[in-house]
Amino acid sequence: MVSIKDVAEKANVAKSTVSLVINNNGYVSEKTKEKVEKAMRELKYVPNQLAKNLSIRKSNLIGIVMPDILHPFFSTFIKHVEKELYDKGYMTMVCGSVGRNHVEKEYIEWLNRSTMDGIIMGAHSLDISHYVGTDRPIVSLDRFLNERIPMVSSNHHQAAELTIGRLERSGCTHAVQFVGSRKYNLGSDTYVEHCKRMFEEKGHRLDFFEMDSNTFTLEQYMKAASTAMDKHKGADAFIGSDLVISQCLKIATEKGIRVPDDLKLIAFDGTYVTRITSPVITAIVQPIEKLASLATDALIHQINGNPIRERHMILDVSIQEGETTL
């Protein structure tokens, strides 16, 4: 195997000079640089990328941590982030945090040791105090961590307005909203709070059905949907994420409950799940591809040492007019 020493001997220069040429770091005359590059070509020398990265404290590796990589929202987000990062010269390390309590902390530790250049963090379980001690590049997805770390999210206030407006037009007076744990300071908590306030201000009733914070499998969503529908038989509408609402639709069909005549359903996320059901589910659509692009740009901005102009970047949502709230 050809080494730096071999290149140095062939070019008649010091090994340190070869290193300067490889890393493009420090002054080397154009004539000497050409000699080194010629020797590398003739010897078919390929630089050790890992060693090069370590010498400049750069790995070209980005961590993406999401609760569950199979969940439609997170998998779609990961797909777009990975593509954007690859196009910009970065590789990715993707991890789901559900069932692994130490993943968030370990990724932060790796980041602090320069094992990776940055993290896009979408996991929701680690206490935010663990983020105080790092000044390395991090972007948060829909969770406020601290004033230094940028956060990208959808416009949850607008999402609530669209949701409640659609239920109002459908004549609903008693809705049930599926919610996760609200102890992690998530942006989506705003959606939940505004939905309840807006609906009740109109003189209607909105109940919460709280799910476990680690609810991500289809079986868990089915159980939650079944329990909620049995508990709230008098409700005329259910609001929740795509997967839990798709299970509500399935249960309603099995029980002979007519959707949307007897029961209205509206989902939040608007992934492909809402379009493969029959009928198509009315949904608040998050701009997942744009969220991914915004998060990627904000992270690379930090990696390149540029100041972040916006700490909370909010994107508007839209509504998919399906057949479950007509």
Side-chain angles (χ1 to χ4, degrees), residues 202-316:
K202 297 178 183 297
H204 306 317
R205 174 181 170 186
L206 192 152
D207 296 323
F208 290 147
F209 183 86
E210 189 163 329
M211 299 183 294
D212 182 80
S213 59
N214 289 326
T215 299
F216 291 107
T217 69
L218 199 59
E219 292 75 19
Q220 289 171 320
Y221 283 120
M222 171 62 85
K223 182 179 178 181
S226 179
T227 303
M229 291 179 71
D230 285 342
K231 182 179 179 181
H232 298 279
K233 287 183 169 30
D236 56 15
F238 282 87
I239 309 165
S241 66
D242 294 357
L243 286 177
V244 74
I245 292 300
S246 71
Q247 297 311 296
C248 287
L249 178 60
K250 181 179 180 180
I251 293 168
T253 301
E254 291 172 350
K255 291 186 174 183
I257 300 170
R258 298 175 302 168
V259 177
D261 296 340
D262 302 324
L263 182 67
K264 310 292 192 293
L265 301 174
I266 186 163
F268 180 78
D269 277 344
T271 63
Y272 65 87
V273 170
T274 62
R275 297 186 294 277
I276 61 175
T277 59
S278 181
V280 172
I281 297 172
T282 301
I284 304 302
V285 182
Q286 295 202 66
I288 304 176
E289 185 172 355
K290 290 181 180 179
L291 286 168
S293 180
L294 200 60
T296 302
D297 288 346
L299 189 68
I300 292 177
H301 210 65
Q302 292 179 80
I303 292 171
N304 292 335
N306 299 315
I308 300 296
R309 290 182 292 273
E310 288 185 79
R311 294 293 167 179
H312 188 184
M313 294 161 277
I314 305 173
L315 293 175
D316 283 347

Side-chain angles (χ1 to χ4, degrees), residues 55-86:
S55 70
I56 58 176
R57 291 179 61 82
K58 195 173 191 298
S59 66
N60 288 97
L61 180 66
I62 302 297
I64 306 174
V65 186
M66 297 289 136
D68 181 21
I69 61 176
L70 292 180
H71 188 281
F73 175 86
F74 297 120
S75 63
T76 305
F77 181 83
I78 290 168
K79 180 184 78 170
H80 292 300
V81 168
E82 189 277 332
K83 181 181 183 303
E84 289 227 8
L85 286 170
Y86 182 81

Side-chain angles (χ1 to χ4, degrees), residues 138-157 185-191 286 291 294-295 298 308-316:
I138 299 175
V139 173
S140 171
L141 174 64
D142 202 41
R143 185 189 184 194
F144 177 80
L145 296 173
N146 61 46
E147 293 292 346
R148 189 194 66 78
I149 297 174
M151 167 184 166
V152 298
S153 70
S154 293
N155 189 332
H156 294 295
H157 186 275
N185 204 22
L186 305 182
S188 56
D189 294 344
T190 304
Y191 173 65
Q286 295 202 66
L291 286 168
L294 200 60
I308 300 296
R309 290 182 292 273
E310 288 185 79
R311 294 293 167 179
H312 188 184
M313 294 161 277
I314 305 173
L315 293 175
D316 283 347

Side-chain angles (χ1 to χ4, degrees), residues 32-51:
T32 301
K33 183 178 179 182
E34 289 174 0
K35 283 172 54 181
V36 171
E37 289 176 343
K38 181 181 178 183
M40 290 169 64
R41 287 194 300 272
E42 291 177 355
L43 293 173
K44 295 182 171 58
Y45 173 73
V46 178
N48 184 321
Q49 186 64 39
L50 177 59

